[in-house]
């Protein structure tokens, strides 16, 4: 079964990594749920303001947003019970990593696009 991934900080701008991630995960067969309160849709997919607004379970979350916003969002991720969390380059901070761990989430601090075998610069 394909994993369901929330791209947090998804963007409709094709140059941004929050957009490249949506395309990369879809190309790899994932079900992608874009999360961004300021976007109506990304790459033709309905966008949700929060992971808490998404019906059903989410298998993993990939963060594409500033760490200070991530600190607020990680609380929702914990409440939603998302077991796998990727903090992409620029989205991580010591405070965010510490807060994730305090919420019993062990974050993966790496590029999730590379993690699924894609080149983020070739998308």
């Amino acid at each position: 079964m394909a994993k369901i991934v929330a791209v947090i900080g998804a963007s409709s701008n094709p140059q941004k990594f929050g957009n490249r991630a949506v395309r990369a995960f879809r190309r790899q067969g994932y079900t992608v749920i874009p999360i961004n309160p300021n976007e109506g849709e990304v790459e033709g997919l309905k966008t949700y303001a929060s992971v808490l607004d998404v019906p059903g379970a989410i298998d993993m979350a990939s963060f594409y947003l500033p760490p200070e916003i991530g600190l607020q969002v990680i609380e929702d991720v914990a409440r939603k019970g998302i077991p796998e969390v990727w903090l992409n380059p620029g989205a991580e901070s010591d405070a965010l990593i510490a807060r994730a761990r305090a919420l019993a989430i062990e974050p993966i601090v790496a590029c999730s696009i590379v993690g699924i075998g894609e080149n983020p610069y070739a998308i």
Side-chain angles (χ1 to χ4, degrees), residues 11-21 23 42-43 120 123:
S11 172
S12 57
N13 178 341
Q15 297 305 311
K16 293 198 165 193
F17 286 98
N19 179 281
R20 293 176 190 210
R23 290 181 281 140
V42 172
E43 294 294 314
I123 300 169

Side-chain angles (χ1 to χ4, degrees), residues 21 23-26 28 30 60 86 111-118:
R23 290 181 281 140
F25 278 109
R26 285 178 87 180
Q28 292 289 331
Y30 287 76
M60 67 184 279
W86 289 72
C111 177
S112 63
I113 297 172
V114 173
I116 59 168
E118 295 272 341

